Amino acid sequence: MTTSRRVAFNDGNAVPQIGLGVWRTPDEEAASVVETALRAGYRHVDTAKIYDNEEGVGEGLRAAGLARDELFVTTKVWNDDQGYDEARRALDASLRRLGLDQVDLYLIHWPSPRRGRYVDTWRALIAAQRDGLARSIGVSNFEEEHLERLIGEMGVAPALNQIELHPRFQQRSLRAAHARLGIATESWSPLGQGKLLIDPAIARVAAKHGRTPAQIIIRWHLDSGLVVIPKSANPNRIAENFDVFGFALDAEDMTAIHGLDNADGRIGPNPMTADF
Ligand code: NAD
């Protein structure tokens, strides 16, 4: 069954391998988009305080009528809320907007090195997990040196690091660090924000399997052991992006997609220099 594919965390919990991303889904559309995805079989939704749609997401979660323990909800602490007290207040506010007592995964959205507060923020997340407000805790956009510092100073490794990752920016060295440190990898902008859907190499693999480019790319993430959170607000595409188990990529396909990796393939900000 599709919904049973999960990736294990270092804290004993696990995450459904496909989730719905809702960045740029307006709050007023989020309820129906989330409900549509849950009815299509998704059990995992990825939001953030900065997406400004946690209320709509919460409404959609309730509308689908599923038991709480069937759902996996991620949200993130924004850069302005970094710091021990600030992060705890931010989590309380996110929970209120979502209408939940606990999130399944709470992430530090960016390390924001210039603020120098991500270790203090991590301390707040460790306390939040202890207090039952977050089942698992992790980070996003952390580079290896940031991960090493958290683990060195606090002794707790993130369950997961959510990073920009798609066939044109495969993050092989950071993934190797994750494997060494016991951290799951989650791919943001897994379709390259849609730009990869017209790549000729992807199109060839799609034609070979009679599948869409989006399905090929999502399947590549899954077969690479990654957690993947494609975004769509369109019901047909939401269903298409989850219908990825009726075919298999072979070694030739994996090699072709492997070959698209490009050191300059990053679309989003570089976490070392991002200044927001
Ligand atoms: P994505 O790679 O998921 O691409 C989304 C775009 O692809 C959509 O807007 C749509 O135009 C197109 N698309 C999706 N499915 C399609 C289909 N089947 N056919 C044709 N076109 C299709 O991009 P994203 O939204 O940037 O990333 C996904 C999620 O990752 C976000 O919604 C968010 O939850 C998360 N994210 C996190 C960070 C972070 O800093 N942690 C940054 C960016 C995104």
Side-chain angles (χ1 to χ4, degrees):
M1 229 181 90
T2 54
T3 51
S4 65
R5 290 204 26 169
R6 296 169 89 86
V7 168
F9 286 160
N10 57 22
D11 62 5
N13 296 324
V15 55
Q17 204 176 355
I18 302 185
L20 178 76
V22 296
W23 181 35
R24 293 172 169 152
T25 300
D27 198 31
E28 55 278 15
E29 286 174 32
S32 75
V33 167
V34 166
E35 186 183 356
T36 298
L38 295 174
R39 294 199 188 286
Y42 291 68
R43 292 293 179 265
H44 166 189
V45 180
D46 181 84
T47 185
K49 188 250 186 143
I50 197 71
Y51 301 168
D52 209 9
N53 58 18
E54 289 172 315
E55 288 186 11
V57 167
E59 204 183 306
L61 296 170
R62 289 186 293 280
L66 293 162
R68 176 66 185 92
D69 63 4
E70 289 193 57
L71 301 170
F72 190 101
V73 183
T74 301
T75 194
K76 315 182 189 88
V77 55
W78 185 240
N79 302 346
D80 292 343
D81 295 319
Q82 285 217 18
Y84 186 81
D85 293 329
E86 294 87 341
R88 180 58 167 249
R89 276 198 295 273
L91 175 53
D92 287 340
S94 282
L95 288 170
R96 239 184 348 264
R97 284 188 293 271
L98 287 161
L100 298 175
D101 300 328
Q102 180 188 59
V103 284
D104 297 280
L105 182 62
Y106 197 47
L107 303 179
I108 305 179
H109 206 144
W110 290 84
S112 192
R114 75 174 172 89
R115 285 185 167 77
R117 307 194 81 181
Y118 64 82
V119 177
D120 259 355
T121 309
W122 187 235
R123 201 157 52 82
L125 268 58
I126 293 169
Q129 184 180 31
R130 183 199 57 216
D131 296 345
L133 302 181
R135 268 165 64 77
S136 294
I137 52 174
V139 295
S140 177
N141 299 302
F142 275 47
E143 295 291 333
E144 186 170 354
E145 67 178 74
H146 309 129
L147 297 169
E148 296 278 12
R149 185 156 170 226
L150 287 189
I151 297 167
E153 294 197 24
M154 299 303 303
V156 178
L160 169 151
N161 189 12
Q162 182 184 116
I163 55 175
E164 178 176 347
L165 201 162
H166 42 73
R168 257 187 226 150
F169 194 63
Q170 297 184 19
Q171 296 263 28
R172 289 185 205 166
S173 111
L174 190 48
R175 282 158 67 189
H178 290 169
R180 180 170 59 77
L181 298 168
I183 298 171
T185 306
E186 182 168 59
S187 307
W188 66 249
S189 294
L191 307 173
Q193 296 179 6
K195 295 180 179 67
L196 270 167
L197 301 174
I198 52 167
D199 184 280
I202 302 285
R204 273 193 296 279
V205 180
K208 172 174 154 185
H209 292 281
R211 291 288 178 156
T212 68
Q215 290 174 320
I216 298 299
I217 297 171
I218 292 166
R219 186 67 201 232
W220 173 82
H221 287 274
L222 297 175
D223 290 354
S224 303
L226 304 162
V227 183
V228 60
I229 46 173
K231 184 257 174 176
S232 177
N234 170 316
N236 294 327
R237 288 175 175 177
I238 288 173
E240 173 187 323
N241 293 349
F242 199 72
D243 176 20
V244 288
F245 296 97
F247 69 103
L249 299 176
D250 60 28
E252 181 191 45
D253 305 330
M254 291 303 276
T255 304
I257 299 174
H258 207 70
L260 297 178
D261 196 15
N262 180 339
D264 298 323
R266 198 192 278 285
I267 298 171
N270 182 331
M272 300 303 284
T273 53
D275 192 25
F276 46 78

